[in-house]
Amino acid sequence: MEYLAHIDGERKQSIKSHLYGTARFAEKFADSFGKKDWGYCCGILHDIGKYSLAFQEKIKNNSDKRVDHSTAGAKVCFEKGGMYEFMSYCVAGHHSGLPDYGSSSDSGNAPTLEGRKQKRIEDYSAFKSEIKIPEINTIPFDPLKEPDPDFSLSAFIRMLYSCLVDADFLDTESFMKNGRTLREAGEAISVLLERLKDYVADWLQNEDTDTVNGRRTEILRHCFEKGISERGIFQLTVPTGGGKTIASLAFALQHAVENRMDRVIYVIPYTSIIEQNAEVFRKILGDQNVLENHYNVDYESTEELKPMQLAAENWDKPVVVTTNVQFFESLFANKSSRCRKLHNIANSVIIFDEAQMLPTDYLKPCIAMMEELVGNFCSSIVLCTATQPALTSLFRRKMPVTELCPRVAEQFRFFERVTFKNIGVVSEDELIEKLEQEDQALCIVNTKKRAQRIYQKMKGEGVFHLSTTMYPKHRRRILGKIRRLVKDGEKCILISTSLVEAGVDLDFRGVYRQLAGVDSMIQAAGRCNREGKRGADESFAYIFQFEEKENVPGQQLQIDVSKMLISEGEDILSLRGIEKYFEALYHFRGESLDKKKILEEFKGKRYNFAKVAKKFKLIEDDTLTVFVGREEEAEELLRQIKCQGYTKSNMRKAGQYCVQLYEGDIEKLQGAGMLWPISEDIEGFFELVDKGQYTEEMGLDLGIESGMAVLM
């Protein structure tokens, strides 16, 4: 009998061909962390259920009948026992996702691993005539060396699962497209290193450490030199203006070449920084070698970009630039579409830019995963920031952390461009009076409503507002105008929220920052005298507090810790002050550094992958979306969504015209008849129908009182 896995018209792929093709891919992927025997075995086992007569009738008759072909391989794992049982998660979930373990009372209908054990399936024993189950010759890791063997084993299962599902996709895709997949892996890391060296060759001639460019070169040269280090954990503590983007790339490429690593992955908190950094990397390394992977990038629009769209599925490019959300949520996901890329994180240099922005609610599981990547998956990590968080106390493995910046304290003294002044408690009117005396100043406050209110009181020629009440495309337009005015020396007063603190290239003569977390205040000060054209004694960052209390969601503890340290007389802006701030912050957070108890879901070899995937959300779903159709493209997109339904592509494009609001603000606007739900199919997605509520100067006006309902 001919046993088939796939049929495409007249073309057929046998199960044997598919299993061995998948096994060879998975073997190659798992070899990046030294476990090719596990990858190969998973590939062989995953589809043996297709040997059942029921599946063969289904595929040959093109029937819609559902036939479970995933449980068979898992049952073989259970029967063989020992280490094969770990593979049962991967094989059972290669279509539906990594399952929870479940309990012995689960019936065969339960979507758990225990449920699969009980499930009755079609006879698949015919596989024995064609397939031999391979032996496993290695162990996942040495359990005696692991601080938490259960978590390490769960991470190993995830990586193995990634190898399997990517291999399965690629072998199937190769058959269905007859080998014409348009995938392009990019150039070798060694080629990119030489390209970078050519780009900075002139810079490296500069030996004058009394100049800004000379200091940047000193840091850059040191990063190249440190690149020859063995794999491990590194930190690059560079003051604002020290050139950390190029310096970190220099270390990463040199380190990858030296240690025969496959790629460089930049993990960044904000899409604004991603877009800037990715543009720099593309300019130096070539467009085809740099993959941006985040919500705002669209690789589906033209055939020319098809290779990039395919690479976004599994990160098969030498340089990947992504977000904290995309990176960590993928590492704790359970679905095949999110997990395909994970094996390509192994054997990589991973740079966490603005490392102080690692998510505190999930800091312990994130750090545990970072340690796994270094300890068991041949990766190196670099914590890159001007405000280095005190993470070493949270590492459970006592691995050394190597600093990449030479003479750190001296660099910070040299790059001092701002004098901080604490002006204490002020009223809004007193703050406005100070701002009105400025020619070019940035004022950052803690809430959107406060920013709107201050702007309303000040608005006039040369005064601007910027916050997330504006949709992203609108913000970029306003930022472009602000940059031009500042560059030309014209009047420019900007009232903003914290969104301009990191990754936004602005250079004001003075900055006013409402008391916040230490890292936020230092980042804000980095928008003053950014280019160092004035002395620090004539460039001021003013820290202030308002008289009345206000609720700042997600930031209250950071504000309270800053207040406490200031009251104790601590210089919170020194390197030691920054360290004490983070130590205190993490101490007070305590158990809430693992807010959802993620680590507790991996105990006693009973792992809850599906449960964790639902719990692990770096951006909580406590905001709803308002679509603002003010521009022609936005109106056309809205028509498409209403008429054709939503797709990944049109929803990604729609994000450029959306504002995120808390539920209370949505209720007020909806109660006033200003919002309508766009579709019953998309929960929490509204259209702004009262266009007058959105202005070019201020975005979506939140100054609406409850009880303003419109009577229809």
Side-chain angles (χ1 to χ4, degrees), residues 240 276 417 440-442 444 466 478-487 492 494 496-497 499-509 511 523-531 534:
T240 301
Q276 286 178 197
R417 297 170 179 183
Q440 287 191 348
L442 166 65
I444 301 176
L466 205 62
I478 298 296
L479 272 169
K481 187 173 183 179
I482 289 167
R483 285 192 182 101
R484 286 192 298 274
L485 290 172
V486 170
K487 185 179 179 182
C492 184
L494 174 58
S496 179
T497 55
L499 67 90
V500 298
E501 282 177 349
V504 180
D505 189 10
L506 294 171
D507 188 1
F508 286 90
R509 292 174 189 161
V511 167
Q523 289 281 2
R527 309 311 111 188
C528 177
N529 194 24
R530 188 171 177 81
E531 297 302 318
R534 297 176 300 282

Side-chain angles (χ1 to χ4, degrees), residues 638-664:
L638 190 57
R639 280 193 291 272
Q640 284 180 21
I641 293 168
K642 286 180 175 178
C643 297
Q644 303 166 17
Y646 67 97
T647 64
K648 280 186 179 179
S649 179
N650 64 29
M651 290 302 286
R652 190 180 290 119
K653 290 174 183 172
Q656 295 301 302
Y657 302 99
C658 288
V659 173
Q660 302 296 321
L661 296 182
Y662 289 108
E663 198 167 343

Side-chain angles (χ1 to χ4, degrees), residues 226-245:
K226 284 289 187 180
I228 65 172
S229 306
E230 293 181 359
R231 293 176 176 90
I233 301 175
F234 302 85
Q235 61 184 38
L236 179 56
T237 312
V238 174
T240 301
K244 68 181 170 67
T245 300

Side-chain angles (χ1 to χ4, degrees), residues 270 357 360 446 498 501 513 515-520 551-562 581 585 589:
Y270 302 116
M357 297 297 295
T360 48
N446 288 336
S498 62
E501 282 177 349
R513 182 52 168 107
L515 186 76
V518 167
D519 52 325
S520 289
N551 180 37
V552 187
Q555 294 296 310
Q556 199 55 55
L557 182 59
Q558 288 89 323
I559 294 167
D560 291 343
V561 170
S562 294
Y581 165 77
L585 181 64
R589 288 299 301 261

Side-chain angles (χ1 to χ4, degrees), residues 604-656:
K605 297 186 177 64
R606 296 170 177 242
Y607 307 146
N608 293 323
F609 293 105
K611 185 177 179 183
V612 163
K614 289 178 182 174
K615 289 167 67 171
F616 195 97
K617 301 293 180 190
L618 297 195
I619 300 176
E620 299 292 351
D621 295 328
D622 56 357
T623 60
L624 303 172
T625 303
V626 177
F627 185 94
V628 183
R630 295 173 70 237
E631 301 184 33
E632 190 175 329
E633 185 188 15
E635 291 175 345
E636 177 57 31
L637 263 174
L638 190 57
R639 280 193 291 272
Q640 284 180 21
I641 293 168
K642 286 180 175 178
C643 297
Q644 303 166 17
Y646 67 97
T647 64
K648 280 186 179 179
S649 179
N650 64 29
M651 290 302 286
R652 190 180 290 119
K653 290 174 183 172
Q656 295 301 302

Side-chain angles (χ1 to χ4, degrees), residues 188-200:
I189 289 280
S190 57
V191 172
L192 305 192
L193 175 61
E194 292 309 311
R195 206 165 282 163
L196 175 64
K197 285 183 174 178
D198 288 345
Y199 185 83
V200 301

